[in-house]
Amino acid sequence: MSNHQKRLSVPNSWPVERKTATFTVKAGAGPHGEDGVPLLIVLRDVLGYADNRKEARYALNEDNVLINGKAISDEERPVGMFDILAFTEREEYYRVFPGEGGRLALTAIDPDAAESKLGKIVTKTHVSGGDVQLGLHDGETLIVEDDQTYDAGDSIVVGNEDGEIVAHFEYEEGALVTAVDGAHAGEVGEIEEIQVTPGSAQNNVIVSQDDGDGFETVEEYVVVIDENFTGDDE
């Protein structure tokens, strides 16, 4: 199987130039599905920390590159929305955040903020024993007690070290959200109205902005955040 991916057919979220060459690296198996960006692209094309795959492999073998608190040695490991990247030797920390046009971008954060990551709850199912399993946007699953009030559409912040939930943001009118896909990807505002659509069609979300005209998008494209996720935490 080829280790290459044609640049013209990569997902819109990948931060690569499409016409500078024919191929780029293919993402390996892992979180975020087909939208996951190979770590090599982040190291080489976004940050400029490596010129080629060989240099990236050397750097990763030093165990100085962490994603969500875990040392990564595979340059094809997918990186996606709200992942935390830590470069311990450089003392640099980043959160993956939606940029203009839906491209993934890196937001510098402080070391404390790098100790946990945000996840959007996309599924909630009951499992044996009476507990509840939460499925997050990146494919991760968590088991919580049934009496805890988490719902699909809510966001949680999970500690990288122990996997414990340290914050919970409800999906409701008045909540601060960002759009992660569609024409308004990267924009931030407050939910003004959730328009429930009958049948199987997506609900619409109307978002207001203090410094903009606001926007409307589908429910799938919005993620609840708080003010610490909108820019540099320092």
Side-chain angles (χ1 to χ4, degrees):
M1 184 178 293
S2 172
N3 287 326
H4 293 84
Q5 159 80 49
K6 285 191 174 181
R7 286 177 176 257
L8 287 176
S9 61
V10 300
N12 291 333
S13 60
W14 286 33
V16 298
E17 297 299 328
R18 283 165 168 72
K19 297 183 179 180
T20 56
T22 303
F23 294 100
T24 187
V25 65
K26 180 187 294 184
H32 301 289
E34 63 181 19
D35 288 332
V37 179
L39 180 56
L40 174 58
I41 288 179
V42 177
L43 295 175
R44 183 188 63 195
D45 301 322
V46 178
L47 294 171
Y49 290 168
D51 291 330
N52 50 52
R53 185 189 290 261
K54 182 178 180 180
E55 289 186 7
R57 284 178 175 171
Y58 177 82
L60 294 175
N61 285 336
E62 298 296 310
D63 290 338
N64 292 321
V65 181
L66 280 62
I67 299 180
N68 303 328
K70 298 177 177 63
I72 302 299
S73 59
D74 180 8
E75 75 277 8
E76 295 182 0
R77 196 274 194 192
V79 178
M81 197 67 65
F82 302 115
D83 277 344
I84 301 295
L85 274 66
F87 300 90
T88 55
E89 189 172 286
R90 295 172 176 267
E91 297 184 349
E92 294 179 3
Y93 307 89
Y94 298 95
R95 178 184 294 115
V96 182
F97 204 74
E100 185 177 352
R103 283 192 169 193
L104 299 183
L106 301 182
T107 300
I109 57 177
D110 60 34
D112 289 341
E115 293 179 356
S116 58
K117 73 180 182 74
L118 183 89
K120 178 182 178 178
I121 301 172
V122 295
T123 61
K124 177 182 177 180
T125 56
H126 285 83
V127 296
S128 58
D131 291 330
V132 168
Q133 178 176 279
L134 304 178
L136 304 184
H137 73 282
D138 59 0
E140 182 180 355
T141 58
L142 293 173
I143 301 295
V144 297
E145 295 179 0
D146 191 21
D147 60 353
Q148 294 175 301
T149 55
Y150 302 111
D151 293 308
D154 293 356
S155 292
I156 54 176
V157 179
V158 182
N160 293 329
E161 185 71 24
D162 55 14
E164 295 294 323
I165 297 174
V166 297
H168 174 210
F169 309 130
E170 295 185 14
Y171 172 63
E172 59 185 1
E173 292 179 359
L176 185 69
V177 295
T178 184
V180 298
D181 204 344
H184 301 284
E187 294 189 39
V188 174
E190 290 187 358
I191 296 178
E192 182 176 312
E193 182 181 358
I194 300 172
Q195 298 178 328
V196 178
T197 304
S200 59
Q202 285 259 9
N203 292 338
N204 288 329
V205 181
I206 297 176
V207 180
S208 62
Q209 298 169 308
D210 291 336
D211 55 354
D213 297 330
F215 60 91
E216 181 177 344
T217 189
V218 294
E219 194 169 58
E220 179 184 355
Y221 290 170
V222 296
V223 177
V224 184
I225 58 175
D226 77 352
E227 63 275 6
N228 291 325
F229 290 83
T230 60
D232 194 328
D233 291 330
E234 295 182 340

